[in-house]
């Protein structure tokens, strides 16, 4: 017993019309992207902390190497 899976053009046309109407409407419901930040205060603070830590590392490195060398009198 063979099954006949042919779809009529009316069903196909109905599907295409429904798809053409509802898919753009559903895609229009997506939320807009978040606005760009207007202030760079957080970035400036982070950069200040980074510079402070690099200065601390430089001072500690200098002190460690200074006290590590033998004194020649």
């Amino acid at each position: 017993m063979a099954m006949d899976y042919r779809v009529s053009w009316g069903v196909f046309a109905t599907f295409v019309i429904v798809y053409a109407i509802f898919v753009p409407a559903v895609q229009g419901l997506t939320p807009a992207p978040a606005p760009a930040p207007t202030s760079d205060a957080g970035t400036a603070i982070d950069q200040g902390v980074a510079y402070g830590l690099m200065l601390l590392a430089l001072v500690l490195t200098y002190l460690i190497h200074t006290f590590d060398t033998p004194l020649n009198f």
Side-chain angles (χ1 to χ4, degrees):
M1 178 185 256
M3 300 292 267
D4 191 11
Y5 290 109
R6 286 185 291 175
V7 178
S8 70
W9 285 108
V11 173
F12 181 72
T14 304
F15 177 76
V16 169
I17 291 171
V18 169
Y19 186 80
I21 292 172
F22 287 114
V23 168
V26 171
Q27 289 178 349
L29 296 176
T30 58
T38 57
S39 173
D40 289 334
T43 306
I45 292 172
D46 289 344
Q47 190 172 8
V49 169
Y51 277 124
L53 289 173
M54 286 191 295
L55 181 63
L56 177 66
L58 181 66
V59 169
L60 284 174
T61 303
Y62 175 76
L63 290 175
I64 290 171
H65 286 288
T66 299
F67 293 125
D68 193 32
T69 58
L71 297 175
N72 295 327
F73 289 108

